[in-house]
């Protein structure tokens, strides 16, 4: 099976986003885009886990991009609930740096290179843990 209902496809997309983030951190780093791809990798891995477990998640209108909301859908008894919850704080990275800032006083602060690298390492571990859980190993 291939497509949105195949968790393996979501894992492969999450891996692609993690690789993109890593490339974007090369000198000179492109922090805005790297942060976006870190968020996307977490989102796609979480959705792959939800698909594998038969749990519906919100789609469209931004709700499907909310990492906090996605983490809350994973049962608290699931071994990957805690890692998903810990990785939910980059939700603003999905859009905060993708568009020009209208009001600099309310702009989301750009994460540091070190923060993005730390999140990327945690994200890569999460993606591979989800891959093992859903049987989408390499």
């Amino acid at each position: 099976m291939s497509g949105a209902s195949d968790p393996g496809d979501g894992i492969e997309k999450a891996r692609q986003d993690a690789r993109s983030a890593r490339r974007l951190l090369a000198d000179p780093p492109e922090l805005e885009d790297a942060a976006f791809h870190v968020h996307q990798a977490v989102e796609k891995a979480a959705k792959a886990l939800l698909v594998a477990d038969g749990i519906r998640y919100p789609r469209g209108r931004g709700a499907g991009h909310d990492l906090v909301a996605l983490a809350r859908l994973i049962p608290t008894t699931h071994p990957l609930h805690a890692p998903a919850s810990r990785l939910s704080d980059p939700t603003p990275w999905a859009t905060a740096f993708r568009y020009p800032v209208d009001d600099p006083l309310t702009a989301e602060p750009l994460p540091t290179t070190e923060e993005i690298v730390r999140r990327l390492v945690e994200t890569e571990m999460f993606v591979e843990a989800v891959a093992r859980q859903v049987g989408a190993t390499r």
Side-chain angles (χ1 to χ4, degrees), residues 84-109:
S85 296
R86 282 192 302 273
L87 286 168
S88 65
D89 59 330
T91 290
W93 296 5
T95 57
F97 317 116
R98 305 289 291 170
Y99 306 99
V101 175
D102 291 334
D103 181 0
L105 296 177
T106 60
E108 186 72 28

Side-chain angles (χ1 to χ4, degrees), residues 5-138:
S5 61
D6 183 356
D9 289 348
I11 292 300
E12 187 49 41
K13 293 290 187 186
R15 287 173 174 152
Q16 288 173 2
D17 277 309
R19 286 191 303 268
S20 294
R22 193 156 293 286
R23 282 192 298 272
L24 289 163
L25 289 168
D27 196 30
E30 296 180 38
L31 299 181
E32 296 93 343
D33 291 331
F36 170 76
H37 284 287
V38 168
H39 171 278
Q40 289 293 290
V42 174
E43 177 183 331
K44 290 169 186 169
K47 287 179 177 178
L49 182 62
L50 293 169
V51 166
D53 288 351
I55 300 170
R56 295 177 57 94
Y57 58 85
R59 299 171 192 269
R61 299 182 187 252
H65 305 293
D66 183 341
L67 301 179
V68 173
L70 292 173
R72 285 183 182 147
L73 292 173
I74 300 168
T76 56
T77 56
H78 196 289
L80 294 175
H81 173 81
S85 296
R86 282 192 302 273
L87 286 168
S88 65
D89 59 330
T91 290
W93 296 5
T95 57
F97 317 116
R98 305 289 291 170
Y99 306 99
V101 175
D102 291 334
D103 181 0
L105 296 177
T106 60
E108 186 72 28
L110 184 65
T112 65
T113 301
E114 293 76 21
E115 183 178 5
I116 297 171
V117 168
R118 180 177 56 79
R119 282 292 178 194
L120 176 56
V121 168
E122 293 170 355
T123 296
E124 290 168 330
M125 292 186 321
F126 177 67
V127 169
E128 293 312 313
V130 172
R132 286 188 299 277
Q133 183 78 30
V134 304
T137 56
R138 292 181 186 187

